[in-house]
């Protein structure tokens, strides 16, 4: 199993839809997790941190399932501006941050 | 605050040429990182520096060297560029320990090796 796995998508959804992405990880000792957003040809920027069971920020909810070793990102009421690639980050071997390959989201009118 | 700055923004090299990518942060962060991003591969860690004076290999260090010049600056050197090193290079920094803190990224350097 790869250290961090994400469905690359793209997820193509209409405005207003609810969409969810998952990210599975293999290092069961991982304690802190992150979701980053990356716009085309730009640098990644932190979207949310997930330290315990979950975190909510407006339309965005991140959850952690330690038993099944995955984190999820839920986006409610999708906006056109949510179109981007979403990267999950998990501590890998030697606690080095390991990025997933990203999930592409396209929100259309 | 400028955050994390990288120079140059774009570079074209011929096979065998050398160059140094520069990175600086003004947030007084302890940890700094160099990543490369290729289509379909996500971000892969080349080298990192957990604190001033230390550097360690990441996932893909071959063909690269780094220098943590001081707390602010972390440079990446390609001694003999190869076409396989064509990529977008991102520098990042974070406060505190390696994995428990948000990473702040620079705008990237787009490198093409012919």
């Amino acid at each position: 199993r790869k250290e961090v796995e994400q469905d690359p998508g793209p997820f193509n959804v209409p405005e207003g839809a609810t969409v969810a992405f998952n990210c599975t990880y293999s290092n069961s000792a991982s304690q802190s997790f992150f979701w980053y957003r990356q716009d085309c040809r730009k640098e990644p920027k932190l979207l949310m941190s997930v330290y315990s069971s979950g975190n909510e920020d407006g339309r965005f909810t991140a959850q952690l399932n330690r038993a099944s070793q995955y984190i999820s990102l839920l986006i409610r009421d999708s906006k056109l501006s949510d179109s981007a690639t979403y990267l999950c980050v998990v501590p890998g071997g030697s606690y080095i941050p390991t990025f997933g390959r990203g999930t592409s989201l396209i929100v259309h009118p | 605050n400028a955050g994390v700055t990288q120079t140059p923004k774009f570079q074209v090299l011929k096979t065998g040429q050398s160059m140094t990518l520069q990175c600086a942060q003004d947030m007084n962060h302890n940890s700094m990182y160099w990543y490369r991003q290729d289509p379909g591969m996500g971000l892969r860690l080349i080298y990192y520096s957990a604190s001033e004076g230390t550097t360690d290999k990441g996932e893909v260090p071959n063909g690269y060297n780094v220098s943590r010049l001081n707390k602010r600056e972390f440079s990446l050197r390609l001694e003999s560029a190869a076409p396989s090193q064509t990529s977008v290079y991102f520098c990042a920094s974070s406060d505190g320990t390696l994995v428990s803190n948000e990473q702040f990224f620079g705008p990237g350097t787009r490198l093409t090796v012919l």
Side-chain angles (χ1 to χ4, degrees):
Chain A
R1 185 187 207 180
K2 292 180 183 173
E3 285 199 73
V4 184
E5 291 196 64
Q6 292 185 255
D7 181 345
F11 285 66
N12 206 318
V13 303
E15 272 186 293
T18 295
V19 62
F21 317 129
N22 281 346
C23 171
T24 58
Y25 62 93
S26 59
N27 182 4
S28 60
S30 299
Q31 294 295 314
S32 51
F33 308 84
F34 303 90
W35 283 102
Y36 281 74
R37 171 195 169 122
Q38 185 175 27
D39 294 300
C40 188
R41 300 181 69 79
K42 298 283 190 180
E43 70 272 24
K45 294 184 179 179
L46 182 69
L47 179 66
M48 298 186 75
S49 309
V50 189
Y51 291 111
S52 54
S53 59
N55 193 7
E56 185 171 329
D57 183 6
R59 298 183 293 109
F60 299 85
T61 300
Q63 292 197 311
L64 167 63
N65 185 315
R66 288 193 186 276
S68 300
Q69 293 186 208
Y70 73 86
I71 59 173
S72 62
L73 179 66
L74 179 77
I75 305 175
R76 291 180 294 275
D77 189 22
S78 298
K79 312 291 185 191
L80 295 176
S81 57
D82 293 334
S83 296
T85 297
Y86 292 84
L87 308 167
C88 71
V89 182
V90 176
S94 301
Y95 299 98
I96 298 170
T98 303
F99 280 76
R101 296 184 180 189
T103 297
S104 175
L105 172 65
I106 301 170
V107 182
H108 58 82
Chain B
N1 283 351
V4 180
T5 57
Q6 291 183 238
T7 55
K9 286 187 168 52
F10 301 92
Q11 184 71 48
V12 178
L13 293 177
K14 294 181 180 177
T15 297
Q17 287 185 315
S18 62
M19 79 161 296
T20 299
L21 281 64
Q22 307 286 354
C23 174
Q25 52 93 6
D26 62 4
M27 295 172 282
N28 201 36
H29 285 167
N30 289 316
S31 301
M32 298 186 73
Y33 316 80
W34 276 106
Y35 293 91
R36 60 178 288 174
Q37 187 173 36
D38 304 297
M41 295 298 293
L43 282 154
R44 292 184 292 170
L45 185 64
I46 304 171
Y47 271 93
Y48 65 99
S49 171
S51 61
E52 185 179 356
T54 69
T55 60
D56 285 286
K57 295 178 180 179
E59 180 186 356
V60 288
N62 291 344
Y64 305 95
N65 284 301
V66 291
S67 296
R68 183 76 183 264
L69 303 169
N70 48 55
K71 193 170 186 179
R72 289 187 64 249
E73 297 172 288
F74 189 38
S75 63
L76 178 72
R77 183 159 178 84
L78 287 69
E79 291 291 350
S80 179
S84 61
Q85 293 178 305
T86 293
S87 190
V88 180
Y89 291 85
F90 288 103
C91 176
S93 71
S94 68
D95 197 12
T97 59
L98 284 173
V99 294
S100 62
N101 296 85
E102 174 184 3
Q103 293 183 68
F104 294 82
F105 285 82
T109 295
R110 282 158 180 78
L111 174 66
T112 301
V113 183
L114 303 175

